[in-house]
Amino acid sequence: MTDEKPPEDKVAMSNVASLAEAARKRTRKKKSASSGGETQDDDRPEIRIVNGEVPRVLDEADKALGGRDPTIYAQQARLVRIVAFDGDDTGEKFIHRQPGSITIQQVISAHLVDRLAYVARWKRYDSRVGDWIATDVPKKIADSFVARAGAWKHVPALTGVVEAPTLRMDGSVLDRPGYDAASGIYFAGKLPADYIAPPEKPTREQARQALDTIWDAVSDFPVVGPEDRASMIAGMLTALLRRSLPSAPMTCITAPMPGTGKSKVVDVMAVVATGRKATVMSLGKDDAEAEKRLHAALLSGSTIINLDNIDRPLYSDVLCQALTQETMKVRPLGASDEVMVSPNRSFFATGNNLDIRGDLKRRVVLVRLDAKMERPEQRKFARDVVDVVTERRGELITACLTIVRAYIAADCPTVDASPYGGFEGWDVWCRRPLIWLDIPDPLLSSEEVRAEDPDIALQRSLFAAWNRAFEQEAVTASDIAQRATEATRGGDGQSVYSNPDLHEAMLAACGEKITSKRFGYWLRRHQMRVCDGYRLERAGFDLHSKIAKWRLVSLTAAGNAGNGG
């Protein structure tokens, strides 16, 4: 005899597999020879197929499927089923999943024929015998049912799948395995052995003790400052609560050297949320490839996605959408039509000296690691942090939920932090509770991303040189290009630019060569942007050339003028 417990990935797989088995057991009865293949005391509803009555047949199929099959769900405008990844090759070479990982698969007509046969007795009228006889589910019925996208009345809606206790949108605890009708969340697997439900109304002191528990578990990571450990804890909260949050920023882990522990940080958060290491994905060599891979990852329904070892500038319109939107359209690989999905999963990214650009920079929480040594991979530790977190998983889940519920129980007290537009729900659940417990703002580290952003640095230098050259005069792109390229011949025969700072900034904005056309594109992309107290605005058109004019407006001067009036 042994007291060993099965691994949690096997528990999750068996939990999901039991859905189909439960449906089969409800309809598997003792056969009766006199019933023509039907079973005695078969309580499945009877659906009669009649030409011209397809809507009625579909309505009855909808009711039977929704009431009797725990394996089929509606997600946006598609039917899906929950599947545990068994480790076999899925053809997605760019995504590496751990065995037991829970995924979402779209239901095809062939599978639906099988499920509809389990939940109802299908009959057609046979004029030869003058009676209704058993028949197979017509494929056209299954096709039509799938095509009723978004119009299913009885199939339960699936918000997402979790593998750990979480919070519903109203702040209540969801820790019962199975489908939760109130939230639309399916809890796969079972409760960790050491999990204890958090108190109904935890105190601030209980929240502090919970924070100490988490802090101890992640204390081995060589963070740059305490704000980075706060960012790490915020990432752990995000991984647990993401299914109930309308939006959430991406947690990015960066370090100057390989082997510092970036991927381990993500694995720690993934183990808390799922019981296994994170699903890892590479972005590919270009933006088009990255978009295809992100679409595939969003369709799969993975709880956590780690964009691992990013070695190029990180920016993506698809990723920006996935972080801020409650729904978005994606295109399956090899398909022409788009489908609607809920991108409510936790995104992480790792890389050496991550370079985050564009709109993505305001959508990230940064964790900075630095072992301050040449070969950080050679460090020795008394314990493996992933093993520690695995052993203490239930305790850490309880601690995370306790922190958030304590802040909610205290009526979400005001803290010294600016709003985080676009991520209001995340701000209340994953950021402000930590500040309330007197640890640094998890967003402090992210200020480094904005400060080092090349586009902002360019705006800053260009606005400063522009203001020196023109102040607030309205000028065209051609006027600025001409002023930037004004030069005299030096004693050594080299050009000496009259406005070297403006020339350098314009060259960076235009690329290889300064032209009014290229700079015009830059101006249109950056209009109404504010940087260092100046805003770039349109200023009408030149009367002769009909070309747009631009000017820098000093917001400080405008504010003073308004106050004086």
Side-chain angles (χ1 to χ4, degrees):
M1 296 293 289
T2 177
D3 293 331
E4 290 185 3
K5 298 176 183 177
E8 292 208 20
D9 57 349
K10 292 185 178 180
V11 171
M13 283 192 286
S14 63
N15 179 271
V16 174
S18 65
L19 291 172
E21 182 61 25
R24 284 193 289 269
K25 286 182 178 179
R26 283 208 296 263
T27 57
R28 191 187 300 135
K29 304 290 182 180
K30 183 179 178 180
K31 291 282 185 176
S32 170
S34 62
S35 62
E38 292 185 17
T39 60
Q40 291 180 334
D41 61 9
D42 189 343
D43 64 347
R44 291 178 300 164
E46 180 180 295
I47 299 179
R48 294 184 173 186
I49 301 170
V50 179
N51 289 337
E53 296 186 12
V54 170
R56 188 263 308 164
V57 172
L58 293 177
D59 288 342
E60 293 180 9
D62 188 352
K63 187 174 181 180
L65 193 69
R68 305 178 70 88
D69 191 339
T71 70
I72 304 293
Y73 297 91
Q75 192 172 62
Q76 299 302 325
R78 59 182 187 144
L79 289 175
V80 298
R81 59 187 180 127
I82 303 167
V83 178
F85 176 63
D86 59 7
D88 291 340
D89 183 13
T90 62
E92 297 175 333
K93 301 295 185 183
F94 52 86
I95 298 181
H96 175 69
R97 293 187 177 89
Q98 299 292 324
S101 297
I102 303 300
T103 62
I104 300 296
Q105 289 186 1
Q106 185 163 340
V107 172
I108 60 176
S109 296
H111 180 72
L112 189 60
V113 166
D114 172 68
R115 301 317 309 159
L116 289 174
Y118 271 115
V119 299
R121 293 175 293 124
W122 293 78
K123 297 291 187 71
R124 65 177 177 83
Y125 189 77
D126 189 333
S127 58
R128 292 171 299 179
V129 298
D131 199 2
W132 293 90
I133 63 172
T135 187
D136 292 330
V137 179
K139 183 179 181 300
K140 70 175 183 179
I141 293 297
D143 291 340
S144 297
F145 194 88
V146 171
R148 272 192 166 188
W152 306 292
K153 297 178 181 178
H154 300 281
V155 178
L158 182 67
T159 301
V161 180
V162 299
E163 297 177 73
T166 186
L167 298 182
R168 301 181 183 90
M169 292 186 70
D170 61 3
S172 59
V173 177
L174 192 169
D175 58 5
R176 182 177 179 180
Y179 180 72
D180 180 65
S183 63
I185 295 174
Y186 185 88
F187 181 177
K190 68 175 186 179
L191 293 173
D194 53 345
Y195 166 77
I196 300 174
E200 184 67 25
K201 293 186 177 182
T203 64
R204 191 177 188 186
E205 182 56 35
Q206 288 174 312
R208 288 184 188 279
Q209 294 171 1
L211 181 63
D212 290 342
T213 297
I214 302 172
W215 203 274
D216 174 68
V218 298
S219 60
D220 287 346
F221 287 109
V223 295
V224 171
E227 63 272 19
D228 297 287
R229 205 175 305 281
S231 301
M232 200 181 302
I233 296 173
M236 190 179 295
L237 295 176
T238 304
L240 275 177
L241 306 175
R242 181 63 180 97
R243 296 300 193 192
S244 294
L245 294 171
S247 59
M250 178 170 65
T251 303
C252 296
I253 300 92
T254 185
M257 298 290 291
T260 310
K262 301 179 293 295
S263 297
K264 233 180 211 338
V265 171
V266 182
D267 285 339
V268 161
M269 300 175 189
V271 165
V272 172
T274 68
R276 69 184 68 82
K277 293 181 180 180
T279 294
V280 176
M281 188 184 101
S282 60
L283 274 184
K285 62 182 183 298
D286 55 38
D287 296 342
E289 183 66 23
E291 181 174 320
K292 293 177 183 177
R293 295 183 178 192
L294 286 169
H295 281 187
L298 288 165
L299 284 166
S300 72
S302 298
T303 303
I304 289 178
I305 300 172
N306 180 20
L307 310 179
D308 201 32
N309 290 323
I310 303 296
D311 59 0
R312 62 183 177 88
L314 180 59
Y315 56 90
S316 165
D317 291 339
V318 173
L319 199 51
C320 286
Q321 274 188 286
L323 297 173
T324 55
Q325 302 300 314
E326 294 189 57
T327 59
M328 62 182 292
K329 288 184 177 180
V330 301
R331 181 176 288 110
L333 289 174
S336 57
D337 295 332
E338 294 181 317
V339 299
M340 190 75 74
V341 299
S342 299
N344 56 353
R345 61 268 293 123
S346 298
F347 280 94
F348 295 84
T350 68
N352 298 317
N353 292 322
L354 274 174
D355 182 7
I356 302 167
R357 298 187 181 181
D359 290 341
L360 188 61
K361 61 184 176 288
R362 79 166 192 88
R363 294 170 163 89
V364 303
V365 176
L366 191 66
V367 178
R368 301 168 302 173
L369 303 181
D370 188 358
K372 295 181 172 63
M373 58 188 302
E374 185 177 355
R375 299 289 300 276
E377 73 276 8
Q378 294 181 349
R379 292 169 297 160
K380 295 181 180 180
F381 298 95
R383 60 180 189 172
D384 186 307
V385 65
V386 174
D387 291 342
V388 171
V389 169
T390 301
E391 293 169 2
R392 301 176 59 187
R393 182 179 177 230
E395 179 186 7
L396 292 170
I397 293 170
T398 301
C400 289
L401 299 185
T402 297
I403 290 173
V404 182
R405 283 185 59 80
Y407 185 67
I408 295 172
D411 292 329
C412 301
T414 302
V415 298
D416 184 16
S418 58
Y420 193 18
F423 300 102
E424 291 82 2
W426 180 89
D427 191 41
V428 172
W429 278 13
C430 302
R431 177 194 178 202
R432 292 178 181 269
L434 302 181
I435 301 173
W436 178 59
L437 295 177
D438 301 321
I439 67 172
D441 186 344
L443 293 182
L444 283 178
S445 299
S446 305
E447 289 300 317
E448 178 181 302
V449 175
R450 180 173 174 81
E452 295 180 353
D453 181 68
D455 191 47
I456 292 179
L458 173 57
Q459 288 180 60
R460 183 173 289 118
S461 60
L462 180 55
F463 283 11
W466 181 333
N467 184 59
R468 286 193 294 270
F470 298 100
E471 295 186 343
Q472 297 192 52
E473 179 185 351
V475 292
T476 64
S478 179
D479 294 333
I480 304 172
Q482 182 178 351
R483 184 72 62 89
T485 54
E486 288 178 351
T488 58
R489 186 71 61 184
D492 57 358
Q494 299 294 319
S495 296
V496 178
Y497 293 102
S498 304
N499 297 276
D501 292 342
L502 183 62
H503 177 268
E504 183 179 353
M506 285 280 290
L507 190 61
C510 294
E512 298 177 357
K513 182 180 180 181
I514 296 176
T515 68
S516 57
K517 184 176 181 180
R518 289 181 178 180
F519 190 53
Y521 290 145
W522 190 93
L523 290 170
R524 285 191 289 275
R525 288 198 306 271
H526 292 79
Q527 63 179 316
M528 303 308 290
R529 294 278 184 93
V530 176
C531 185
D532 285 352
Y534 291 94
R535 182 171 63 203
L536 177 61
E537 296 183 356
R538 281 183 180 268
F541 291 86
D542 182 274
L543 295 177
H544 298 289
S545 64
K546 306 300 182 184
I547 295 175
K549 284 190 170 186
W550 303 85
R551 69 174 164 216
L552 287 181
V553 176
S554 172
L555 299 182
T556 303
N560 291 337
N563 293 336

